[in-house]
Amino acid sequence: MSEPSPPAGASVDKWSPRLALLVAATFFMEFLDGTVLTTAIPSIAADFSVPSADVNITMTAYLMTVAMGIPISGWLAERLGARRVFCLAIAVFTVASLLCALSQDLTMLTLSRVLQGAGGAMMVPVGTLVVLRGTAKKDLLRATAYLVWPGLLAPVLAPLVGGALTTFLSWHWIFLVNLPLGLAAFVAALRLVPSTKGDRQRRLDWLGLALTTLGVGSVMVGLELAGGRESGAYAAIGITAGLVFLSTAAWWMRRTRSPLFDLGVFSTRTFRSTATGGFIYRLTISAVPFLLPLMFQNGFGWDPLRAGVLVAAVFVGNIGIKPATTPLIRRFGFKPVLVFASLASAATFALCALLDAGTPEPLILALLVASGAFRSIGFSAYASVQYADVDPAQLPSANAVSATLVQLATAAGIAIGALLIRVFEASGPLLADAGAAGADPAGPYRAAFLAIALIMLLSAMDSLTLPRHAGAGVSRPGQAPAAARPRRPRA
């Protein structure tokens, strides 16, 4: 292979904070554009003379393209070289943003969003791979501290950014702001990303790619339908079909000589946590930015601006705790931090269920700041521990699988949040008779918060099963006990 991963035990180049910051900035653009259109939907619908509900296709098309495009990104990076693919991804994303801004009808906007999603699908995993390959285990916590902030901030800031641009300028500026950012990122990538040759002989597992893409796409469609109304049967069919495709893909890739992914990476317990407790954690924290504005507006009767300002308190917690996340992990280790973050987050969700329109705003702000802080701690810990014991040769597969799971967890969080609201709304009359959740407009949202608090406890239970010194080679470099050191995979 012309662009090999360094063998286990080999020296790794000193990590570059500037490169990590560049990759994080491109991730922020990709994550932000996934949800920023929410507040602009009425304006777009008015310009195109279509119902607002029809504009949702632009968001769905983007998110599905990102999720379905991730599986092939790792192979492209290996085949063509990570620098070339990363720069191409930035260029595609930027040009597609211009096309979105120039769109004259819904069809053109949707197609442009698909192209934008294709660029985003390459930016996410390839950018991470570039950073991880140049980062030694001892610096992994510092590197991931740069990489996780887009996933924490974008869902919270998207409504504010989209609302401000749409209100004071026009919805076109949601895409136009990407042009200078994309150009700057492209120039910086040419300077900062190491130039390496790809492996032109690397074969593509076409069957594995087809099964994986169909699986991810079907699950995403099912989750999207689950978030709507009167689509239960179709949602179940989509999710079931997707799981069948993914199971078949896993069976195939364990038997073929040149699999799309090396699924042996799941034998590493710390990486496997990203598909168990980590998936549940991301699912629940993705539901919160969806549930909070709805509870404040529909349940409490507040205006969007007041609701948006209060939800931004989560952002304050995310940022405020960030300098302390790495010291906390180094001091206590991954397992205690993950258990604490899950339990503390569950507690804040349960407390959200006790809020009402008369709760003093300082108390609400304090609760949401704390929730954002715990969210940030757990998110950072999972982002680091998943790669702590992965062999360098398995990084491309681990990275692509992780990026796909993040997309699915985010979609699942929103879908489950919407599903919980519908379930508790439907049971409102019964609950009202009992004097419970259906007695007030915020009742379904309170019940939904209690439900996701219970779901979060599953993440804590999974973290409790981690080895005592899980990821010690990263959290405490040079001090990891022999039992905690990762074993090289058998040839």
Side-chain angles (χ1 to χ4, degrees), residues 216-227 231-232 234-240 415:
V216 171
S218 298
V219 170
M220 289 291 289
V221 169
L223 291 173
E224 178 69 19
L225 292 174
S231 302
Y234 294 109
I237 292 172
I239 294 173
T240 302

Side-chain angles (χ1 to χ4, degrees), residues 5-11 391-393 488-489:
S5 299
S11 61
D391 188 87
R488 298 187 190 182

Side-chain angles (χ1 to χ4, degrees), residues 236-249:
I237 292 172
I239 294 173
T240 302
L243 294 177
V244 170
F245 281 128
L246 292 175
S247 298
T248 306

Side-chain angles (χ1 to χ4, degrees), residues 119-438:
M122 293 186 287
M123 284 199 301
V124 174
V126 175
T128 302
L129 184 61
V130 168
V131 173
L132 293 177
R133 277 186 166 168
T135 303
K137 295 286 187 182
K138 64 183 179 64
D139 294 318
L140 187 59
L141 274 175
R142 295 167 63 197
T144 53
Y146 281 76
L147 297 177
V148 299
W149 66 264
L152 290 167
L153 302 189
V156 180
L157 290 182
L160 292 176
V161 173
L165 291 174
T166 303
T167 301
F168 298 109
L169 296 170
S170 73
W171 65 265
H172 305 82
W173 284 92
I174 290 175
F175 302 108
L176 290 175
V177 294
N178 288 331
L179 302 187
L181 296 176
L183 180 60
F186 184 83
V187 173
L190 291 176
R191 295 173 57 88
L192 296 176
V193 179
S195 177
T196 51
K197 294 182 179 179
D199 178 13
R200 296 288 182 175
Q201 303 304 314
R202 185 174 179 83
R203 298 175 58 189
L204 178 60
D205 176 12
W206 288 101
L207 181 56
L209 175 63
L211 290 170
T212 303
T213 303
L214 286 172
V216 171
S218 298
V219 170
M220 289 291 289
V221 169
L223 291 173
E224 178 69 19
L225 292 174
R229 296 180 180 273
E230 301 178 358
S231 302
Y234 294 109
I237 292 172
I239 294 173
T240 302
L243 294 177
V244 170
F245 281 128
L246 292 175
S247 298
T248 306
W251 174 86
W252 166 256
M253 284 186 273
R254 289 187 181 278
R255 285 158 177 77
T256 186
R257 291 185 178 182
S258 302
L260 181 67
F261 301 134
D262 178 6
L263 296 183
V265 71
F266 279 106
S267 64
T268 303
R269 178 63 182 91
T270 46
F271 178 79
R272 196 162 65 247
S273 68
T274 195
T276 52
F279 187 89
I280 296 171
Y281 190 89
R282 291 186 177 97
L283 182 155
T284 51
I285 66 173
S286 296
V288 173
F290 171 77
L291 291 173
L292 276 175
L294 292 177
M295 183 171 75
F296 289 157
Q297 294 178 67
N298 299 337
F300 296 174
W302 294 351
D303 61 80
L305 179 60
R306 185 182 181 187
V309 169
L310 285 172
V311 172
V314 177
F315 155 78
V316 175
N318 288 340
I319 292 297
I321 198 64
K322 183 54 64 183
T325 54
T326 295
L328 282 172
I329 294 171
R330 292 205 186 281
R331 171 66 179 84
F332 297 103
F334 281 111
K335 181 176 179 177
V337 167
L338 288 171
V339 173
F340 168 76
S342 298
L343 292 176
S345 295
T348 62
F349 301 159
L351 289 174
C352 283
L354 302 180
L355 299 177
D356 58 40
T359 303
E361 286 192 7
L363 288 181
I364 299 177
L365 287 170
L367 174 60
L368 297 186
V369 167
S371 183
F374 301 141
R375 181 175 185 259
S376 182
I377 292 171
F379 200 96
S380 299
Y382 272 117
S384 300
V385 75
Q386 65 183 354
Y387 299 117
D389 301 325
V390 171
D391 188 87
Q394 295 178 310
L395 270 179
S397 295
N399 182 49
V401 170
S402 173
T404 303
L405 289 173
V406 168
Q407 292 291 326
L408 292 176
T410 301
I414 296 173
I416 288 178
L419 181 62
L420 288 171
I421 292 173
R422 288 209 316 276
V423 168
F424 291 119
E425 282 178 341
S427 59
L430 294 176
L431 294 171
D433 291 341

